[in-house]
Amino acid sequence: MLFFSSQLGDFSLHFIFPQRNQSLAEQMTRKSSERRKVGADHFAFYRAYLEGVEIDKAAERYLHFSPRDVRSIRSEFKWIRQTLTLAATRSGDRRSALLLGLGPIPVPAASGASAEASNEQTLETFAAEFDPEGVLSESDLIAYFEEAQRDRPVAADRRASGAKERLRVRQLAALRSLEVSLVDTPKLHHMIVGWLEPALAARLNAAQIYTLDDLVNRCNRDGHRWWTKIAGLGEKRATRVTSWLTGHSDSIGHVLSQRALVPRRQLQATTPEAFTRAPTASIAPLEALTVPASLDGSTGRNRAPIERKQIDANNDYAAIYSWLRDFEHKPHTWRAYRTQAERLLLWSIFARGKALSSLNTDDARAFRDFLLNPEPADVWVGPHGAERWSPAWRPFTGPLSASSCKMAIAAASSLCGWLTSQLYLASNPFRGVKVSSGTCPEPGGDRDPSDRSLSIGQWHFLINGAYSEEAAALSPTAFRDRFLLLLGCFGGLRVSEIASAKVQDLKHFEAADPTDVSLRWYLRVIGKGKKSRKVPLPTPLVDALRAYLLSRGYTGSLIALAASKDPIPLVGRLDGNDRAGLLSASTVGETYKRIFTQAARLLGDSEAAEDLRRASGHWLRHTHATHSIRLGTSPAHAKDNLGHASIATTSQYTHIEINERWEPMEKFARGMLPST
């Protein structure tokens, strides 16, 4: 067992959850299950301590602590000792409580003392040697002293050694006796607060993890880095958790999968099947879906004459993959369209009870309404970030927003329109299906990009506070997070462009001023539509890049690193394994989301915190555009830096007109107020 507590009173610590309309009996049952339990590993730790093993080594061996985690080890040791001595006292065995509280009893080896050595020993000398910390009361000390003096013919040191040995035997016997009555074993249904430190249990509870069953399932669902989705947990604590769960897998009866124990890149290289799902005829990702023969679309009502079809697909499943084949060279687009086609096919089969090629216009309208409220939620909605191989995966993570609904209908119409053009379908059921402008506004209507950019105050809070240079120095993760913020804001790059950037994409050029001998740098970026552009890198960003590369072990100059043959990702993996390849765009996007979420948590319950929780990596691109133009960059230059196809897109970030109209409105409002 590995966890610790700072309790000073009752060893059966209670950690009370918020009550949820429970009956008194349910509350009492729950309180009983929430008491901090004592396991066999606690007794093994304390037995080692009594036998003279240093507590840091005993904690490492039996409780999975790091020897450097001194404060936590001391806290856990204190809790265990108080728990055991209090349990012995409550059972009426005060002598055992005193024995267990004594700590290790040193028993010196028998010495060859000369005959001249004194056979006499005073109570004071016995107390100084036997109870140097003064734990025993005077009456108990006298009783032990008299017991030690019974064998008069034996030399004094031999008598003391024998007495201590007898006491040590009694001490270990008391521990064994207490273990029989007190030790508990973890079970799958146990509340985690019964086994984990209260502060740790609170963090897990906040992530909707209440029982050991919940904890094991979460680890198996999210894989080796499951802890990254739980605020305040950290890798060290997570490692102790998984070590403890693994050590108690027999009693829990539910083991951690290899996905939870081995880093994904290592496991995927050796066991790729660990990241696939077995075929199933229930709701599942496309690659694991087995479509019922009666609903596979081979005889769909909206099928065009089979002899006229222009694709080899004989069913709806194959037809979808035929459509997706045109987007294989655009992986982001391919994944987005696969998601929309997947949702349509799953809804058609499991909610509508029809083959996709049997859908009509009424079905298309019903699908539109379903997107805004996918019910029942326990069937269709799953946790955000669940891997496609996970049993927790669902087609949705919640109702779609208005704009996402519009995009989904557009994708469904594109799919069915293409299948109609290939004479697989007789008609497109989504053609003419309208999405209410009240719920799904036209993209780019009155949506102001500045609504999705950081204010100067928010930016300063991030870069000078939550992710300051001092904070970044605390860990490799914090160091990378700060660089990602600088890169996203100062470079104005898309998340996908950041993920694909390499050090070899850096190029240098001379300053326009012939007296300036310093080099300037830009990053060659391949953006949307495979269009190449040059993004100038300001000096603060280049300095941050040099420091970041040095922290990853790249000691050469930037010129030498940019000219090296081995590809170096601009943003590296936390384990330093750059040879594993570039990070995915989704990983970079999730990292940005974590950065903003953690920063929002520091702001507490406020509107500013709520705004940061909405932020994503793309917000930094909007922040770059908004504030670079505000600080003097011409819209034409900003257009080239951002890779916009039209100056009209860049012009959305200028606010000249609204500023001109603000002054008269201010004057009007002041004129309407009574003078003071």
Side-chain angles (χ1 to χ4, degrees), residues 317-336:
Y317 186 92
I320 287 174
Y321 273 102
S322 182
W323 174 63
L324 290 173
R325 198 169 299 130
D326 283 341
F327 308 104
E328 289 177 345
H329 64 292
K330 299 178 179 179
H332 302 301
T333 303
W334 186 91
R335 283 194 295 269

Side-chain angles (χ1 to χ4, degrees), residues 668-675:
F668 157 73
R670 291 186 179 279
M672 295 295 290
L673 294 173
S675 58

Side-chain angles (χ1 to χ4, degrees), residues 283 292 294-296 301 316 342-371 373-376 379-380 396 429-430 433:
I283 293 176
S294 60
L295 299 174
D296 68 359
R301 292 182 180 180
D316 299 340
E342 186 173 64
R343 288 171 172 170
L344 175 61
L345 181 64
L346 292 173
W347 173 84
S348 175
I349 294 171
F350 297 106
R352 206 64 170 174
K354 285 186 173 184
L356 186 149
S357 55
S358 293
L359 298 179
N360 56 33
T361 302
D362 288 336
D363 296 321
R365 292 181 179 129
F367 179 65
R368 174 195 61 193
D369 298 337
F370 172 80
L371 293 173
N373 186 29
E375 290 287 348
V379 173
W380 293 98
F396 298 88
F430 286 89
V433 172

Side-chain angles (χ1 to χ4, degrees), residues 132-306:
E133 297 182 2
V135 175
L136 296 174
S137 66
E138 183 177 358
S139 59
D140 288 324
L141 184 63
I142 292 173
Y144 289 129
F145 175 71
E146 290 175 350
E147 182 176 358
Q149 300 301 312
R150 288 174 184 168
D151 297 326
R152 302 301 298 173
V154 184
D157 59 342
R158 295 281 303 278
R159 291 199 303 272
S161 177
K164 289 181 180 180
E165 179 61 31
R166 288 192 294 273
L167 286 175
R168 195 168 76 90
V169 170
R170 293 177 184 175
Q171 187 182 50
L172 295 176
L175 186 66
R176 284 194 298 271
S177 176
L178 201 60
E179 184 174 7
V180 171
S181 61
L182 192 62
V183 73
D184 204 342
T185 56
K187 301 297 183 184
L188 200 59
H189 65 277
H190 283 175
M191 307 301 291
I192 58 172
V193 74
W195 290 103
L196 314 189
E197 164 206 4
L200 176 56
R203 290 186 174 93
L204 294 172
N205 292 162
Q208 307 300 309
I209 301 174
Y210 299 107
T211 66
L212 293 179
D213 190 22
D214 295 337
L215 181 57
V216 172
N217 286 331
R218 182 65 64 89
C219 294
N220 288 339
R221 186 194 81 188
D222 292 343
H224 181 252
R225 292 178 61 79
W226 62 276
W227 52 272
T228 60
K229 297 181 174 65
I230 301 176
L233 185 59
E235 186 172 7
K236 289 183 179 179
R237 283 184 173 180
T239 300
R240 296 206 303 266
V241 169
T242 53
S243 296
W244 182 79
L245 288 173
T246 301
H248 291 85
S249 59
D250 289 341
S251 63
I252 293 175
H254 193 3
V255 298
L256 295 177
S257 68
Q258 285 295 99
R259 287 191 293 250
L261 298 173
V262 181
R264 176 167 182 167
R265 58 187 169 276
Q266 297 178 14
L267 188 60
Q268 200 162 14
T270 57
T271 318
E273 62 274 11
F275 294 93
T276 60
R277 286 183 62 172
T280 177
S282 59
I283 293 176
L286 275 181
E287 62 272 16
L289 178 64
T290 300
V291 180
S294 60
L295 299 174
D296 68 359
S298 55
T299 58
R301 292 182 180 180
N302 191 31
R303 286 290 301 271
I306 295 178

